[in-house]
C-alpha cells in the first residue's frame, strides 16, 4: 500500500523525504536556475556516509538514499551512458557526414556505422491462430447470413470451433469484463473480442438446440444481419471509405486547387522572367506589376484563433501522438492538440494509414480554456473553437495545396492545418519537405499562400526550427516572410495568411545534442511583436500590406517549443520569452500531468499507483480506439510500450535534491520509494511488457518489441 506520505505527495504537498524541505521556484525565476539545499542541509548530508554524485551536468540529482551503488563499491553510483536523442533516432545528419564529425569517425577519419537505433524494428505477429470469417463475426451461431465467397473462403464459419481452437482463451484483466462494452454498451469486436464471454451467452430453443449469441450490455442479442451500428460515437473525423477509394482512383475533383495552381504556375513564370531580366540588366525589363493578374479567387475569411497563457499545447508527435495518448493529455489539462504528421501525397492517394491519423476524440473537439488574459483577435468566438489541429508535410506546393483542400473539405472537426517545416528525418528532408523548406523561403511562401487560398475557413499555421545549420539561423527571416510576404510580392499579393508560427529552439543539424535555445525564441518573439504592431523599425522599408489578407485581424500568434518539463519552465517561457503559449513534446510523454501542474501552478509528485492508473487509462483508450480483439489489444500494447519507453524516464519529485527538474538530465541507477515505483523506473523493455500484461493480458508468443535504442535509451521524432 502507498504510504501516507505518498498520498500527500499525490495531492501536491511536496515534501523532501530527507530532513530538508525542497524549495519551489517562483514563476518569474528562469528555468535555467537550479535551487540548492541550504548550507545546513549540505553539512548534514556531508556528515552521513551515503554516496552523492554532486551536481553533474546531464545527470539527474537523485538523493543519496535512493541511489544504487555500483557492484562492489561503497561510494560509486551507476551513471547512465549519455545518449543524445538524435543518436536514438539513429540517423546521421547530412552536415555531420560532410564535416566528418569526430563523434562518428574511426581511425583515419573513416565514419563508423551508426548503431544507436534499431531501424528495422518488427513487432512480430499477433493474429488469431485461425481467422474467423467476417460473415459470422457479429452474428448469432445459427444466423442465415451467408458468406459471399462461398466455398472459396478460407476463414472459419464455425463459431464454436473458432472459440475453442481459433483463438486464445479470454483475458482475465479488468475482471474479465470487456472495457468497450462497459463504455459503449456494445463491443465492435464481436466474437473476436478477448473478453467475449462477458457479452455472449448460450440460449436454448424450443426444439432443444443450443445457440451461441452475442449480447449488448443490457443482455439484448445482436441482429441476425450482424449490423451493430456505430459503437464508438466518441471518435470524430471518420472519413468515409468511399472517399478514400475515390481519392486513390483520382475521382475527387479539386476544382479550387486546380484553378489556383494554374494561376500560380503562370504568375511564377511571369515573376521569374521579370526577375531574370532585372538581374541580367539587358533588354527591356518586364514590368511584373503590369503583367500581374489577380488570382481566380480571394481566400475565404478564416476562423479566428487564440493562443494564450492558459492554452498549453501538445506537439505533433510521431508514433506517440496517437488518439489514446492525446486523449489522456486532454484529461490532464492539455488545451490544444495536433495529429501526428501526415504526408500530403498519401492523403491525396487515399491512404488509410494517413487518414486514420486525422481521427480525433470528442474531447478534442471541445473549446480550449479561455480566460481572455492574452491578446484576442477581433471576432474570436471561443464557443466555436476546438482543440484539434492537423499537421501535414509536403515537398511541393501543389501537394500542400490540394492536401489542405482535402482536409478542410472532408474533416468537419478541424481547428487549423499546420505545415511541418521542421522535421529533421533524412527521408523527409532529402525529399524537400520538413526542415528543407527552411532553406527554400520562396517555395514555403507559395505553399502557405496556396493553402490559405483553398482551405475555406480553416486557418493555416507553420511549425519551424531555427534553421538547418548551426551556423545559419533562418527562422526570423522566414517568419517575417510568412507574416508579410516577400518584398516583391507583399504590396501586390498581400500577406501570405499564416495565422501562427511555432518555433522549435533547435536547428536540424543540432537535433537534441544541446538544450533548446530559448534566448533566440525570445528574440524572435520580440520581432513578431514588432511585426504585429508595425513599428517604425519594420515599416520604414516596406510597403503596407493588404489588411484583407492578414489572419486574426492582423495578429500572428507565436508559440515556443523545446525542453519544457515543468510549470516553472512553462511560465518562465510565457513571462520572460514572451511567447503566446508553449508547445510541449517529450516532456508530455515523460510526464503527461505536466498540463495539470501548469493549471495548478505547482509540482505534483504523483504516486506510483496514480501513474499506474494513467497506464490503465491508456490501455482502455487504446482498446476503445483499436478494438479488444487480438489485433487491437496488441496494437494497443505496441503503442503502450512506446509510451513506457518515455514514461520510465520520469524521476519522482520527492527523490530529487534540486528543483526544477530538467528534461535533459538522465537519472543514475536508483530505487523508488516502493516496489511499484522502482518497476515504473525500469529501463528494461521486458519490464515494460510485464506492466502491459497487467491490463492487456499475456503477450502472445509471436509478439516482439525491440527498443528504439539498443542501449535502452529510446526516442521518437518528438518535437521538443
Amino acid at each position: 500500500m502507498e504510504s501516507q506520505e505518498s498520498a500527500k505527495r499525490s495531492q501536491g504537498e511536496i515534501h523532501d523525504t530527507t530532513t530538508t524541505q525542497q524549495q519551489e521556484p517562483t514563476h518569474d525565476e528562469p528555468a535555467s536556475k537550479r535551487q540548492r539545499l541550504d548550507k545546513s542541509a549540505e553539512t548534514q548530508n556531508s556528515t552521513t556516509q551515503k554516496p552523492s554524485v554532486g551536481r553533474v551536468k546531464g545527470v539527474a540529482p537523485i538523493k543519496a538514499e535512493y541511489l544504487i551503488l555500483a557492484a562492489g563499491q561503497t561510494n560509486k553510483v551507476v551513471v547512465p551512458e549519455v545518449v543524445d536523442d538524435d543518436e536514438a533516432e539513429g540517423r546521421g545528419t547530412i552536415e555531420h557526414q560532410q564535416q566528418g564529425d569526430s563523434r562518428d569517425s574511426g581511425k583515419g577519419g573513416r565514419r563508423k556505422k551508426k548503431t544507436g537505433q534499431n531501424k528495422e524494428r518488427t513487432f512480430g505477429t499477433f493474429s488469431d491462430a485461425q481467422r474467423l470469417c467476417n460473415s459470422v463475426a457479429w452474428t448469432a451461431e445459427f444466423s442465415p447470413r451467408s458468406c459471399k465467397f462461398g466455398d472459396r473462403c478460407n476463414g472459419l464459419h464455425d463459431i464454436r470451433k473458432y472459440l475453442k481452437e481459433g483463438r486464445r482463451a479470454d483475458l482475465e484483466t479488468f475482471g474479465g469484463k470487456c472495457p468497450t462494452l462497459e463504455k459503449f454498451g456494445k463491443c465492435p469486436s464481436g466474437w473476436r473480442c478477448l473478453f467475449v464471454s462477458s457479452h455472449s451467452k448460450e440460449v436454448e430453443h424450443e426444439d432443444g438446440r443450443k445457440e451461441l449469441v452475442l449480447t449488448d450490455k443490457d443482455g439484448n442479442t445482436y441482429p441476425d444481419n450482424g449490423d451493430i451500428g456505430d459503437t464508438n460515437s466518441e471518435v470524430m473525423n471518420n472519413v468515409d471509405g468511399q472517399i478514400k477509394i475515390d481519392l486513390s482512383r483520382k475521382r475527387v475533383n479539386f476544382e479550387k486547387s486546380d484553378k489556383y495552381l494554374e494561376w500560380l504556375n503562370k504568375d511564377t513564370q511571369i515573376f521569374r522572367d521579370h526577375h531574370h531580366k532585372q538581374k541580367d540588366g539587358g533588354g527591356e525589363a518586364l514590368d511584373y506589376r503590369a503583367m500581374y493578374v489577380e488570382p481566380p479567387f480571394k481566400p475565404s475569411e478564416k476562423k479566428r484563433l487564440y493562443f494564450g497563457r492558459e492554452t498549453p499545447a501538445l506537439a505533433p508527435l510521431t508514433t506517440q501522438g496517437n488518439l489514446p495518448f492525446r486523449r489522456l493529455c486532454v484529461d490532464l489539462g492539455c488545451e490544444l492538440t495536433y495529429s501526428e504528421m501526415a504526408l500530403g501525397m498519401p492523403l491525396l492517394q487515399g491512404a488509410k494509414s494517413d487518414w486514420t491519423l486525422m481521427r480525433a476524440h470528442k474531447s478534442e473537439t471541445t473549446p480550449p480554456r479561455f480566460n481572455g488574459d492574452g491578446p484576442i483577435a477581433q471576432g474570436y468566438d471561443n464557443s466555436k473553437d476546438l482543440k484539434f489541429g492537423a499537421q501535414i508535410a509536403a515537398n511541393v506546393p501543389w501537394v500542400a495545396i490540394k492536401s489542405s483542400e482535402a482536409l478542410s473539405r472532408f474533416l468537419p472537426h478541424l481547428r487549423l492545418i499546420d505545415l511541418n517545416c521542421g522535421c529533421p528525418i533524412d527521408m523527409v528532408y532529402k525529399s524537400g519537405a520538413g526542415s528543407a523548406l527552411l532553406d527554400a523561403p520562396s517555395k514555403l511562401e507559395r505553399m502557405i499562400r496556396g493553402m490559405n487560398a483553398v482551405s475555406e475557413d480553416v486557418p493555416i499555421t507553420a511549425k519551424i526550427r531555427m534553421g538547418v545549420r548551426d551556423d545559419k539561423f533562418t527562422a526570423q527571416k522566414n517568419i517575417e516572410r510568412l507574416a508579410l510576404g516577400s518584398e516583391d510580392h507583399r504590396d501586390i499579393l498581400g500577406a501570405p495568411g499564416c495565422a501562427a508560427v511555432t518555433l522549435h529552439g533547435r536547428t536540424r543539424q543540432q537535433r537534441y545534442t544541446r538544450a533548446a535555445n530559448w534566448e533566440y525564441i525570445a528574440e524572435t518573439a520580440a520581432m513578431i511583436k514588432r511585426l504585429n504592431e508595425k513599428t517604425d523599425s519594420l515599416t520604414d522599408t516596406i510597403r503596407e500590406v493588404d489588411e484583407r489578407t492578414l489572419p486574426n485581424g492582423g495578429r500572428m500568434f507565436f508559440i515556443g517549443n523545446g525542453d519544457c518539463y515543468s510549470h516553472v519552465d512553462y511560465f518562465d517561457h510565457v513571462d520572460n520569452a514572451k511567447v503566446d503559449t508553449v508547445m510541449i513534446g517529450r516532456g508530455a510523454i515523460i510526464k503527461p500531468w505536466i498540463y495539470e501542474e501548469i493549471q495548478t501552478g505547482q509540482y505534483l509528485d504523483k504516486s506510483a499507483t496514480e501513474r499506474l492508473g494513467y497506464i490503465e487509462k491508456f490501455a482502455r483508450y487504446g482498446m476503445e480506439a483499436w478494438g479488444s480483439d487480438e489485433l487491437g489489444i496488441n496494437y494497443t500494447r505496441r503503442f503502450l510500450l512506446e509510451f513506457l519507453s518515455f514514461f520510465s524516464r520520469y524521476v519522482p519529485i520527492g527523490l530529487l535534491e534540486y528543483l526544477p527538474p530538467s528534461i535533459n538530465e538522465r537519472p543514475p541507477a536508483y530505487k523508488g520509494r516502493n516496489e511499484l515505483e522502482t518497476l515504473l523506473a525500469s529501463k528494461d523493455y521486458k519490464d515494460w511488457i510485464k506492466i502491459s500484461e497487467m491490463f492487456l493480458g499475456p503477450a502472445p508468443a509471436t509478439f516482439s518489441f525491440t527498443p528504439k535504442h539498443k542501449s535502452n535509451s529510446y526516442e521518437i521524432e518528438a518535437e521538443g
Side-chain angles (χ1 to χ4, degrees):
M1 292 181 63
E2 293 290 316
S3 65
Q4 243 183 354
E5 183 179 43
S6 294
K8 290 181 179 179
R9 292 173 187 280
S10 69
Q11 298 168 10
E13 297 178 30
I14 310 302
H15 296 289
D16 199 333
T17 54
T18 64
T19 56
T20 308
Q21 186 174 358
Q22 292 171 311
Q23 300 176 12
E24 181 179 333
T26 64
H27 293 172
D28 296 329
E29 185 169 1
S32 60
K33 293 186 179 179
R34 295 291 182 267
Q35 293 187 323
R36 297 180 59 88
L37 299 173
D38 57 34
K39 288 294 182 181
S40 61
E42 290 180 10
T43 303
Q44 181 179 354
N45 286 341
S46 65
T47 59
T48 66
Q49 298 302 309
K50 295 177 181 178
S52 175
V53 296
R55 192 63 174 170
V56 179
K57 184 178 180 181
V59 178
I62 305 290
K63 291 177 181 176
E65 58 264 39
Y66 298 107
L67 294 173
I68 296 176
L69 302 181
Q73 302 290 327
T74 59
N75 61 354
K76 188 175 182 180
V77 298
V78 180
V79 179
E81 176 188 358
V82 177
V83 183
D84 294 331
D85 284 345
D86 58 304
E87 289 286 328
E89 291 169 3
R91 300 178 179 91
T93 64
I94 293 172
E95 293 77 9
H96 286 160
Q97 294 171 10
Q98 292 172 341
Q99 296 170 6
D101 194 321
S102 60
R103 298 182 307 170
D104 307 318
S105 299
K107 293 181 179 180
R110 181 174 298 175
R111 185 175 175 77
K112 291 194 294 184
K113 183 180 179 180
K114 289 277 186 180
T115 58
Q117 184 197 36
N118 296 311
K119 288 185 178 180
E120 303 300 328
R121 297 196 303 155
T122 60
F123 301 93
T125 57
F126 32 86
S127 56
D128 290 330
Q130 299 182 59
R131 186 179 68 85
L132 181 68
C133 178
N134 282 342
S135 65
V136 297
W138 298 276
T139 64
E141 185 179 9
F142 300 152
S143 171
R145 186 180 184 186
S146 61
C147 175
K148 64 180 181 180
F149 297 105
D151 295 337
R152 294 179 292 113
C153 182
N154 58 7
L156 278 178
H157 298 83
D158 185 332
I159 293 174
R160 291 183 186 270
K161 183 177 180 181
Y162 168 74
L163 294 176
K164 185 177 180 180
E165 304 173 9
R167 43 154 275 170
R168 57 175 165 155
D170 269 12
L171 301 181
E172 298 178 358
T173 56
F174 299 108
K177 295 182 179 179
C178 175
T180 53
L181 177 80
E182 295 296 305
K183 178 65 183 279
F184 301 113
K186 292 181 180 180
C187 174
S189 297
W191 292 111
R192 297 189 183 104
C193 175
L194 289 179
F195 301 91
V196 70
S197 58
S198 67
H199 51 82
S200 64
K201 63 183 180 182
E202 187 178 62
V203 296
E204 186 172 353
H205 295 287
E206 293 180 357
D207 59 3
R209 292 187 306 163
K210 295 181 179 180
E211 181 182 23
L212 291 174
V213 297
L214 291 169
T215 62
D216 61 19
K217 191 175 182 180
D218 298 325
N220 302 313
T221 58
Y222 285 12
D224 283 341
N225 62 6
D227 183 9
I228 60 174
D230 183 10
T231 57
N232 188 348
S233 59
E234 295 188 351
V235 175
M236 309 297 182
N237 291 340
N238 288 299
V239 178
D240 189 85
Q242 188 58 50
I243 292 175
K244 299 170 194 172
I245 293 173
D246 290 342
L247 284 166
S248 68
R249 297 178 181 176
K250 299 184 179 180
R251 294 174 181 167
V252 176
N253 184 2
F254 291 101
E255 184 178 0
K256 251 189 143 175
S257 293
D258 290 337
K259 286 183 178 179
Y260 185 87
L261 287 165
E262 182 182 358
W263 168 85
L264 178 63
N265 291 334
K266 290 180 180 178
D267 183 73
T268 301
Q269 189 58 51
I270 291 172
F271 180 76
R272 284 174 179 166
D273 292 342
H274 163 73
H275 178 73
H276 290 152
K277 286 287 186 180
Q278 281 191 328
K279 186 176 181 181
D280 295 342
E284 287 191 24
L286 291 171
D287 186 346
Y288 173 64
R289 183 182 292 274
M291 298 288 292
Y292 172 74
V293 177
E294 288 280 343
F297 46 82
K298 288 283 188 182
S300 301
E301 185 176 355
K302 306 298 178 187
K303 294 181 292 189
R304 298 295 194 251
L305 295 177
Y306 175 78
F307 295 88
R309 182 185 181 89
E310 69 275 30
T311 60
L314 175 65
L317 301 167
T318 303
T319 305
Q320 263 311 329
N322 50 66
L323 187 150
F325 178 72
R326 297 197 311 268
R327 183 179 171 187
L328 176 62
C329 289
V330 170
D331 286 351
L332 293 170
C334 177
E335 298 297 336
L336 301 173
T337 62
Y338 291 78
S339 71
E340 295 181 59
M341 181 186 75
L343 299 177
M345 185 60 79
L347 286 173
L348 295 177
Q349 294 170 337
K352 182 179 178 181
S353 56
D354 283 77
W355 280 103
T356 299
L357 300 179
M358 298 297 111
R359 297 196 309 165
H361 186 258
K362 73 172 186 178
S363 62
E364 298 178 89
T365 64
T366 59
R369 201 152 58 105
F370 177 65
N371 295 338
D373 295 336
I376 307 169
Q378 186 176 4
Y380 173 72
D381 186 349
N382 180 254
S383 65
K384 296 180 180 179
D385 200 358
L386 67 158
K387 298 179 175 71
F388 179 75
Q391 189 186 67
I392 63 171
N395 61 346
V396 288
W398 75 266
V399 172
I401 292 168
K402 286 194 172 184
S403 298
S404 298
E405 183 178 356
L407 292 176
S408 60
R409 186 193 304 182
F410 299 131
L411 300 183
H413 304 283
L414 195 58
R415 183 176 202 249
L416 54 82
I417 300 172
D418 186 75
L419 180 64
N420 183 303
C421 311
C423 181
I425 301 175
D426 286 349
M427 179 189 73
V428 176
Y429 175 79
K430 290 177 180 179
S431 75
S435 55
L437 294 174
L438 301 176
D439 284 342
S442 180
K443 180 166 74 171
L444 173 57
E445 181 182 343
R446 291 198 303 274
M447 284 183 170
I448 295 293
R449 284 188 186 279
M451 293 168 68
N452 195 52
V454 303
S455 65
E456 299 298 338
D457 66 341
V458 180
I460 302 299
T461 64
K463 188 172 189 295
I464 69 174
R465 288 186 177 232
M466 296 191 301
V468 173
R469 299 178 60 89
D470 286 347
D471 59 358
K472 186 181 179 182
F473 294 171
T474 59
Q476 293 181 4
K477 286 186 177 180
N478 281 325
I479 289 174
E480 182 175 345
R481 190 158 183 161
L482 292 177
L484 302 174
S486 67
E487 293 190 22
D488 294 319
H489 288 94
R490 65 180 57 147
D491 63 330
I492 300 175
L493 296 176
C498 188
V501 171
T502 301
L503 176 58
H504 184 185
R506 289 182 170 89
T507 63
R508 176 182 185 268
Q509 179 182 0
Q510 175 187 346
R511 297 285 182 95
Y512 293 97
T513 57
R514 294 185 301 279
N517 188 340
W518 276 92
E519 289 184 5
Y520 184 80
I521 294 176
E523 292 172 7
T524 307
M527 183 204 75
I528 290 178
K529 182 179 180 182
R530 294 194 299 270
L531 282 173
N532 286 331
E533 295 175 351
K534 296 185 180 180
T535 57
D536 293 340
S537 60
L538 288 171
T539 55
D540 281 347
T541 58
I542 65 173
R543 292 175 285 271
E544 288 292 332
V545 297
D546 183 350
E547 294 287 347
R548 294 174 300 173
T549 65
L550 294 173
N552 294 312
R555 174 179 175 79
M556 173 187 276
F557 285 99
F558 183 53
I559 302 99
N561 173 225
D563 295 349
C564 185
Y565 192 47
S566 69
H567 66 287
V568 176
D569 292 339
Y570 180 85
F571 290 115
D572 171 52
H573 300 329
V574 172
D575 295 337
N576 297 325
K578 304 299 182 184
V579 295
D580 291 305
T581 192
V582 177
M583 181 180 282
I584 306 170
R586 294 173 300 155
I589 317 176
I590 298 170
K591 187 174 71 172
W593 60 92
I594 186 174
Y595 299 105
E596 191 178 355
E597 290 187 345
I598 291 168
Q599 279 190 359
T600 60
Q602 61 180 334
Y603 292 108
L604 298 175
D605 191 3
K606 298 288 185 175
S607 69
T609 302
E610 287 178 292
R611 291 165 60 204
L612 189 66
Y614 297 143
I615 296 172
E616 178 183 350
K617 262 193 172 185
F618 186 99
R620 286 181 179 273
Y621 292 168
M623 284 187 280
E624 290 174 19
W626 298 314
S628 53
D629 58 353
E630 190 72 65
L631 183 65
I633 282 179
N634 286 293
Y635 202 64
T636 298
R637 190 190 310 275
R638 178 254 167 121
F639 285 103
L640 175 58
L641 294 175
E642 302 280 13
F643 174 37
L644 290 175
S645 71
F646 276 83
F647 202 63
S648 61
R649 283 192 188 183
Y650 174 71
V651 181
I653 291 295
L655 274 59
L656 294 175
E657 286 192 274
Y658 309 91
L659 291 176
S662 169
I663 195 171
N664 296 315
E665 292 179 337
R666 303 296 175 93
Y670 73 94
K671 59 184 178 182
R673 292 165 290 194
N674 53 49
E675 289 184 9
L676 179 57
E677 193 166 77
T678 302
L679 177 64
L680 292 176
S682 173
K683 303 301 183 290
D684 187 342
Y685 72 91
K686 294 177 182 177
D687 285 334
W688 305 342
I689 292 178
K690 290 178 184 176
I691 294 171
S692 77
E693 291 176 338
M694 294 180 185
F695 308 106
L696 302 175
T702 53
F703 178 86
S704 65
F705 178 78
T706 306
K708 282 220 171 193
H709 199 282
K710 295 176 183 176
S711 63
N712 275 2
S713 175
Y714 314 87
E715 194 57 71
I716 62 172
E717 297 292 347
E719 289 292 309

